[in-house]
Amino acid sequence: VRDGLVEVEGALDACGELRAPISGRSVAAWEVVVEQGEGLFSWRPVVLVSSSESLAVVDASGRIELAVAPEQLRVSGPSLSGRAGPFLAPPPAVLRLLRRRGCDPRGVIFCRGFRWRERVLRPGDHVRVCGVAQWTTVTPSSAVEARSEHGATGGYRGLEMNAVLRAHEGQPVQIKS
């Protein structure tokens, strides 16, 4: 991997697990979008949140760490989705997300129209990640771990350097499964 804008493909590795907020699934990363209906065919995003553990992409040549703040993470792939309307309130998990954003789900008489989708990534998922790669110096203790974990040589990570993928200026990191 060279410094600069890159696309990396491999298996997702995570240091820990989270619970997705709507489904409760055990995941490495998640993204939730909740939209409010405006008229018959128009939707306005009212919630866009994501979270992840420490992530990396691993392939035959090595490992690249993902340095991604939650607001910079965008997850693409299959989703769990649902809708609510005048006679059907959103589920409790969606209501919590709406209330945290100061959005009242009630209309004048009935519930407002909402739709939502939750996308998740699990450890081991095959992913493609777009972002900015940057080589950084590895501390001596990390170099020893790298040597024992991945051998004396190899691809993204040598003994003294570590590749990190970050968001491009003003852009999110796209993770596609």
Side-chain angles (χ1 to χ4, degrees):
V1 171
R2 67 190 191 298
D3 279 1
L5 196 55
V6 297
E7 181 176 89
V8 179
E9 191 169 341
L12 187 68
D13 189 23
C15 298
E17 291 186 351
L18 303 167
R19 290 272 172 216
I22 296 175
S23 65
R25 295 182 282 184
S26 180
V27 299
W30 56 263
E31 176 186 82
V32 171
V33 177
V34 181
E35 298 171 309
Q36 181 178 336
E38 293 184 338
L40 290 176
F41 303 105
S42 180
W43 296 90
R44 177 177 57 94
V46 291
V47 176
L48 172 58
V49 291
S50 59
S51 185
S52 69
E53 286 295 323
S54 290
L55 300 175
V57 177
V58 180
D59 69 8
S61 65
R63 170 187 185 91
I64 186 166
E65 303 293 328
L66 305 182
V68 183
E71 65 275 5
Q72 296 174 317
L73 177 67
R74 294 295 172 268
V75 177
S76 298
S79 65
L80 170 71
S81 59
R83 288 179 174 249
F87 304 108
L88 179 63
V94 174
L95 286 173
R96 281 191 296 277
L97 290 168
L98 288 167
R99 288 187 179 123
R100 279 188 211 141
R101 295 286 186 257
C103 186
D104 186 359
R106 296 171 305 203
V108 175
I109 299 174
F110 302 109
C111 289
R112 294 181 181 168
F114 290 97
R115 67 180 182 185
W116 60 90
R117 68 182 169 273
E118 175 186 81
R119 293 187 173 124
V120 301
L121 295 170
R122 295 181 179 178
D125 282 355
H126 185 83
V127 296
R128 285 187 3 223
V129 183
C130 300
V132 177
Q134 183 178 31
W135 286 91
T136 59
T137 305
V138 177
T139 60
S141 64
S142 296
V144 171
E145 291 171 19
R147 213 176 293 123
S148 64
E149 188 175 327
H150 297 290
T153 63
Y156 296 136
R157 178 158 66 177
L159 294 178
E160 302 300 326
M161 300 295 284
N162 187 25
V164 176
L165 194 74
R166 301 181 189 286
H168 186 58
E169 189 175 314
Q171 298 294 317
V173 170
Q174 298 282 338
I175 303 179
K176 302 173 185 178
S177 62

